Amino acid sequence: RKEVEQDPGPFNVPEGATVAFNCTYSNSASQSFFWYRQDCRKEPKLLMSVYSSGNEDGRFTAQLNRASQYISLLIRDSKLSDSATYLCVVSRGATNKLIFGTGTLLAVQP
Amino acid sequence: DTEVTQTPKHLVMGMTNKKSLKCEQHMGHRAMYWYKQKAKKPPELMFVYSYEKLSINESVPSRFSPECPNSSLLNLHLHALQPEDSALYLCASSNLGVDPRDEQYFGPGTRLTVT
């Protein structure tokens, strides 16, 4: 079993739709949580850190449930430019090692 | 400005060549990382430098040799690579490298092809 699991998709949604991605992690010692997006043949870009209280940045909302070891990302009012792979990432220990999920591919259709 | 730069963008090398990848950041970050990413796979950590000292080597073969000349620069020296080493090599940096809440910022990567 992978340490960070995501539905690989693809998620094909129309512009303006709301889409939710889920992620589970297996190691309860995981301490920090992030969502990155990666465009085809580009580097991962940090979208947001995820806090226990939940956090929102414009159209993006991230939630963390430590008891269930579950992280989510909600994108409202999808834009064509949101098309990318969304990577769920956890970090643990003093060495700041990032463990990536396999990513979920989002394709927003006009 | 969260900018990490990497050179070259693309590199083609033979199995007997020696080459180096370079990474630079000017954000005052004290931790720098090398990742390897194969097609359709997530990045995998190779090395971590914290305060210019190697703190993690993820059992990477010795044909990959990292070097951190100062806190802004990170090199990856390559020698006697195999075709299966072809991948996107990503450099990242973060503030301290000893706090799991540190956010890592990635450079654009070097796309390496070994022939």
Side-chain angles (χ1 to χ4, degrees), chain B residues 16-34:
Chain B
T16 58
N17 291 159
K18 282 186 183 181
K19 296 285 184 185
S20 296
L21 309 185
K22 297 188 183 303
C23 175
E24 189 167 7
Q25 58 87 14
H26 293 290
M27 295 178 278
H29 287 173
R30 300 313 300 267
M32 296 185 77
Y33 310 78
W34 280 116

Side-chain angles (χ1 to χ4, degrees), chain A residues 31-32 34 36 38 41-46 48-49 51 87 91-98 100-103, chain B residues 10 33 35 37 42-43 45 48 56 58 88 90 94 97-109 111:
Chain A
Q31 295 173 273
S32 297
F34 309 92
Y36 280 77
Q38 186 169 25
R41 301 180 69 80
K42 299 281 191 184
E43 76 274 22
K45 289 191 189 296
L46 179 66
M48 57 204 311
S49 300
Y51 307 117
L87 295 159
S91 176
R92 54 182 162 79
T95 52
N96 201 14
K97 175 178 175 177
L98 295 186
F100 288 79
T102 49
Chain B
H10 300 274
Y33 310 78
Y35 288 83
Q37 186 174 25
L45 183 67
V48 181
I56 295 183
E58 289 284 295
L88 180 67
L90 293 160
S94 71
V98 294
D99 185 338
R101 293 170 296 180
D102 267 2
E103 295 173 342
Q104 291 187 26
Y105 298 93
F106 285 82
R111 194 161 296 280

Side-chain angles (χ1 to χ4, degrees), chain B residues 1-2 5 7 17 21 25 39 41 46 49 52 56 58-59 71 73 82 85-86 91 97 100 109 113-114:
Chain B
D1 184 12
T2 56
T5 58
T7 55
N17 291 159
L21 309 185
Q25 58 87 14
K41 299 285 188 185
M46 299 174 73
Y49 274 83
E52 299 160 48
I56 295 183
E58 289 284 295
S59 302
S71 60
L73 291 173
Q82 304 296 310
D85 296 322
S86 299
C91 175
T113 303
V114 182

